[in-house]
């Protein structure tokens, strides 16, 4: 039974005590970060991505535009560079270039979230900013996850709702893995999706509310076909053009790749009918994606690391980062594309331009620029219909070591590869994305930061994201042709602001 608090002196005293306890825990967490700052090593620190000031970061949470700022909350352990009881870290920006770190927003402080304030979302109602999150506990090995809310009038300081938890247990269609509320408004009603699973199949559960507090279970919005994961995490449903898109992060699959479904949403019956399924990013370090609330464009961020990989920066007292912000659009075929935001052009500094058209001869290599930097953007267009080579390779060759990052393209199959096996620290691998059908040109837009690479092919038709930890600080891009000529139609390269 749901408890209703009475307006009594006793209850007011209890509420004040809880607010004070939460505030003190937040102050303690902020103090831990300040104390850790001098110990954070710069070895692999990124220059133009959002990352924690110190210690652990994972999922982006509560992405929202509020009072002139894009707010980004994130899963955060402020006491260690390892995962631990989750808090909500907080940063904001006006332009996605300059970030302001704010006080930690949420800390485990109640019985219902004693082991962590897990992932969730944010919405604006009137002048208030509402955070929805999963309260996490493990009691005698039993997982207990409930849905909670916190509210702020300034976007910085948050008070947990007196009525928490708002949703106290999972429905029969779900399981104890019952988390990551994403909330939005449609035709005057509020909706929430939650990630869960049943009988080895991941699913998304739908709830409905008129007041953001009382939530009614509607039913299973969508579910796995049996091959798409046992638990679906971090669901996100939104309109795009005249369709709806569902994003999920699957557990229980060999490679954790964020999946997207394009289809139609029937709010009358609470069902989403997918017509197309795809992979949002083909790299190893892209998970827990979420889109912003309160923006005209559909903007997204993802966690740029992975549970399965070692994170070398832990020894430097920090771990985790978020991807570059990307805009999601549907192309003419109804597939989802992810493109870097135009705002990121403000990062560009020194430009190196090569002739608009040149040829790389058979079995030769050519340096593309004299720009030697570990933070750069490179835009390359190949004229495939004028090229006779069977394979093309772009190599980022590090100047102070034998390390290399290789980007390969197979003209016959249309397969694009990112090869990080020649980086000596971290998790080496070979990652493949298929571009269908192989076209007359190949466009690559590549962002290289100190310890990350993000590859965008053909205006976001496919993306590959990976963390890399080279020992060298500078690199020279070179292009190789195999068994024929490669016609480079255009090349632009910039070093980026640090």
């Amino acid at each position: 039974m749901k408890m209703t608090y009475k307006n009594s002196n006793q209850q007011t005293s209890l509420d004040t005590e809880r607010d004070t306890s939460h505030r003190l825990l937040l102050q303690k967490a902020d103090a831990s970060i300040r104390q850790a700052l001098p110990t954070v090593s710069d070895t692999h620190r990124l220059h133009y991505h959002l990352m924690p000031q110190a210690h652990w970061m994972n999922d982006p949470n509560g992405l929202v535009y509020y009072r002139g700022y894009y707010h980004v909350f994130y899963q955060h352990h402020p006491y260690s560079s390892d995962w631990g009881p989750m808090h909500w870290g907080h940063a904001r920006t006006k332009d996605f270039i300059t970030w302001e770190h704010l006080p930690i927003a949420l800390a485990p402080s109640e019985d219902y979230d004693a082991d962590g304030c897990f992932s969730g979302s944010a919405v604006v109602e009137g002048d208030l900013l509402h955070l929805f999150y999963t309260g996490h506990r493990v009691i005698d090995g039993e997982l207990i996850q409930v849905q909670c809310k916190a509210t702020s009038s300034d976007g910085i300081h948050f008070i947990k709702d007196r009525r928490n938890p708002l949703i106290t247990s999972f429905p029969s269609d779900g399981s104890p893995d019952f988390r990551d509320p994403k909330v939005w408004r449609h035709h005057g009603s509020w909706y929430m999706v939650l990630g869960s699973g049943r009988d080895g199949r991941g699913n998304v559960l739908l709830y409905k509310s008129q007041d953001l507090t009382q939530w009614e279970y509607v039913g299973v919005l969508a579910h796995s076909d049996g091959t798409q994961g046992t638990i679906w995490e971090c669901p996100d449903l939104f309109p795009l053009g005249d369709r709806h898109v569902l994003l999920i992060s699957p557990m229980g699959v060999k490679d954790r790749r964020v999946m997207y479904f394009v289809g139609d949403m029937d709010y009358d019956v609470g069902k989403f009918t997918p017509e197309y399924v795809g992979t949002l990013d083909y790299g190893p370090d892209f998970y827990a994606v979420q889109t912003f609330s309160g923006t005209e464009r559909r903007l997204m961020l993802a966690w740029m690391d992975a549970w399965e990989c070692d994170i070398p920066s832990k020894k430097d007292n920090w771990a985790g980062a978020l991807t570059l912000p990307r805009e999601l659009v549907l192309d003419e075929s109804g597939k989802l594309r992810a493109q870097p935001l135009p705002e990121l052009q403000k990062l560009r500094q020194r430009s190196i331009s090569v002739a608009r058209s040149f040829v790389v001869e058979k079995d030769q290599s050519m340096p593309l620029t004299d720009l030697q930097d570990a933070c750069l953007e490179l835009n390359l267009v190949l004229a495939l219909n004028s090229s006779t080579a069977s394979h093309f390779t772009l190599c980022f060759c590090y100047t102070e070591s034998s390390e290399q990052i290789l980007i390969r393209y197979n003209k016959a199959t249309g397969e694009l590869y990112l090869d990080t096996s020649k980086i000596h620290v971290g998790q080496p691998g070979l990652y493949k994305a298929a571009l269908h059908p192989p076209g007359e040109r190949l466009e690559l837009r590549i962002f290289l930061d100190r310890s990350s690479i993000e590859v965008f092919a053909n205006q976001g038709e496919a993306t590959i994201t990976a963390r890399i930890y080279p020992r060298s600080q500078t690199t020279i891009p070179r292009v190789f042709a195999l068994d024929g000529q490669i016609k480079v139609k255009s090349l632009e390269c910039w070093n980026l602001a640090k």
Side-chain angles (χ1 to χ4, degrees), residues 257-258 279-286 326 455 463-466:
R257 302 290 184 260
V258 173
T279 299
L280 189 53
D281 189 285
Y282 291 87
D285 296 300
F286 182 98
R326 308 176 187 183
V455 180
T463 65
I464 309 177
T465 301

Side-chain angles (χ1 to χ4, degrees), residues 286-348:
F286 182 98
Y287 196 72
V289 63
Q290 186 176 116
T291 66
F292 276 83
S293 172
T295 57
E296 293 184 2
R297 298 175 294 172
R298 185 55 60 172
L299 310 181
M300 56 134 284
L301 290 168
W303 180 38
M304 195 167 62
D305 265 301
W307 296 113
E308 296 81 6
C309 301
D310 293 331
I311 301 178
S313 64
K314 283 184 178 182
K315 64 180 177 56
D316 299 322
N317 284 331
W318 72 281
L322 301 185
T323 62
L324 288 176
R326 308 176 187 183
E327 180 178 2
L328 299 179
V329 297
L330 288 177
D331 64 19
E332 293 180 355
S333 68
K335 297 179 182 178
L336 196 61
R337 292 180 180 240
Q339 302 172 343
L341 297 192
E343 290 93 321
L344 298 177
Q345 296 179 21
K346 297 177 183 177
L347 289 167
R348 294 172 179 172

Side-chain angles (χ1 to χ4, degrees), residues 28 90 197 207 214 284 304 324 334:
K28 180 182 177 183
H90 188 192
Y207 285 77
Q214 300 291 329
M304 195 167 62
L324 288 176

Side-chain angles (χ1 to χ4, degrees), residues 220-238:
V220 176
L221 178 92
H223 57 80
S224 165
D225 66 2
T227 67
Q228 299 164 329
T230 57
I231 299 294
W232 282 1
E233 296 187 295
C234 305
D236 195 348
L237 179 72
F238 51 87

Side-chain angles (χ1 to χ4, degrees), residues 45 50-54 57 74 90-92 99-103:
R45 293 288 282 178
L50 180 61
M51 56 189 169
Q53 293 176 288
M57 164 197 273
Y74 54 89
H90 188 192
R92 68 182 182 184
W99 291 92
E100 176 188 5
H101 286 277
L102 296 171

Side-chain angles (χ1 to χ4, degrees), residues 22 44 79 210 283:
H22 186 221
H44 298 297
Y79 298 103
Q210 301 304 317

